[in-house]
Amino acid sequence: MLKNIFGRIWAVWGIILFVATMLLFTIPFLLIKLIPEPKRTVRFIRFSKVWMQIFLNGIGCPITVKGKEHFANGENFIVVCNHNSFMDVPVSCPFIPGGNKTIAKVEIAKVPLFGMIYKMGSVLVNRKSEKSRRDSYFKMKDVLASGLHMAIYPEGTRNMTGEPLKTFHDGAFKLSVETGKRMIPTLLFNTRTVLPPEKTFFLWPHKLEMHFLSPESADPGATSSALLKEKVFRVMYQYYSENAKPD
């Protein structure tokens, strides 16, 4: 009972701090919009990282990032990340080394002010529209061609099961095979504790971790993404199982 009460009080504080810091960064973000791509996204990610560091520390959720050395200079990647909570996107993208965009729901872009910021770092998709899903795939190719990283959550939606991962969709792996871009498997830890998917209006302070693993790629000459998907799933499943700690 006390935890539920505190979690809801803390959620109020989280909203206040999020809005206050968002307003503080609105002017820099508006100025960044004037810069052409891909420099616009690179600057956007830098400012977003500062914003999120202030916000996460302010709500008692400092983040530790491991494995940044896997991002080789001069190479951009497809970053595939597990998805346990609404906290995943604001945590992952700002802390990926270098400019990047993420695949994101078009509905959230309609939120006043925040939607404008959200769109700057996203490839938007309406999952109910086949045309939108097809168009987003080509936009992701454009992002990679511009030299930016592309962040994708291959589970598609939040993992509400008791398993470390849900079954992966094909898109990210097809993208890797067709573009020749290597993938960096990425695991987020404790975001489900901070924003539990089964609770509404609840926020809990807890340390967060983001681990980048060694790059993976399809076998030379491969034309199918199935083996790459299986390999990356196995690597991420095992790593999460071995490194997830009880709350």
Side-chain angles (χ1 to χ4, degrees):
M1 178 65 73
L2 289 177
K3 182 174 182 178
N4 285 333
I5 293 172
F6 176 80
R8 283 162 173 78
I9 294 172
W10 202 244
V12 173
W13 164 240
I15 291 173
I16 292 171
L17 184 61
F18 185 85
V19 172
T21 52
M22 179 179 68
L23 293 174
L24 180 66
F25 280 87
T26 296
I27 292 178
F29 284 141
L30 288 172
L31 294 175
I32 288 170
K33 286 191 71 175
L34 303 175
I35 301 173
E37 291 283 19
K39 290 183 179 180
R40 178 197 304 163
T41 296
V42 173
R43 299 282 178 84
F44 171 77
I45 293 299
R46 288 176 183 170
F47 275 92
S48 295
K49 182 177 180 180
V50 176
W51 175 23
M52 282 299 105
Q53 284 175 325
I54 294 170
F55 172 68
L56 292 174
N57 286 318
I59 61 171
C61 299
I63 184 169
T64 299
V65 181
K66 299 180 180 181
K68 290 187 286 186
E69 67 275 8
H70 295 307
F71 287 80
N73 290 334
E75 183 177 359
N76 61 322
F77 298 88
I78 298 169
V79 181
V80 285
C81 189
N82 62 323
H83 193 12
N84 286 327
S85 164
F86 284 130
M87 182 63 75
D88 295 336
V89 174
V91 167
S92 58
C93 296
F95 295 96
I96 292 173
N100 69 90
K101 288 185 181 290
T102 186
I103 189 75
K105 297 178 181 178
V106 70
E107 293 85 357
I108 301 178
K110 299 175 183 177
V111 177
L113 188 56
F114 175 71
M116 179 272 294
I117 298 171
Y118 182 81
K119 286 190 289 188
M120 290 178 67
S122 305
V123 171
L124 299 176
V125 60
N126 180 353
R127 298 187 186 277
K128 298 177 182 178
S129 166
E130 183 178 346
K131 182 180 184 302
S132 178
R133 294 196 302 270
R134 184 171 59 251
D135 290 346
S136 68
Y137 185 79
F138 291 110
K139 289 176 182 176
M140 289 191 288
K141 282 189 171 182
D142 290 340
V143 168
L144 292 168
S146 73
L148 299 170
H149 306 303
M150 188 68 225
I152 302 175
Y153 302 90
E155 294 167 286
T157 57
R158 288 175 297 161
N159 181 6
M160 308 281 280
T161 75
E163 292 295 317
L165 295 173
K166 286 171 53 181
T167 302
F168 284 174
H169 293 284
D170 296 330
F173 309 95
K174 179 182 176 183
L175 189 67
S176 177
V177 170
E178 291 189 0
T179 62
K181 298 296 182 180
R182 294 196 291 169
M183 314 191 88
I184 291 193
T186 303
L187 281 308
L188 292 171
F189 295 93
N190 305 322
T191 56
R192 181 183 285 165
T193 301
V194 173
L195 280 182
E198 70 277 5
K199 293 187 178 184
T200 57
F201 204 75
F202 182 94
L203 178 68
W204 192 256
H206 197 290
K207 292 181 180 179
L208 300 171
E209 294 188 20
M210 185 176 189
H211 296 193
F212 299 113
L213 310 186
S214 299
E216 300 283 354
S217 59
D219 294 333
T223 57
S224 171
S225 60
L227 291 177
L228 177 60
K229 181 174 72 169
E230 180 182 340
K231 178 168 62 172
V232 172
F233 182 90
R234 185 172 61 250
V235 167
M236 292 177 67
Y237 191 101
Q238 181 176 348
Y239 189 91
Y240 190 91
S241 299
E242 292 175 352
N243 291 275
K245 303 179 182 67
D247 297 336

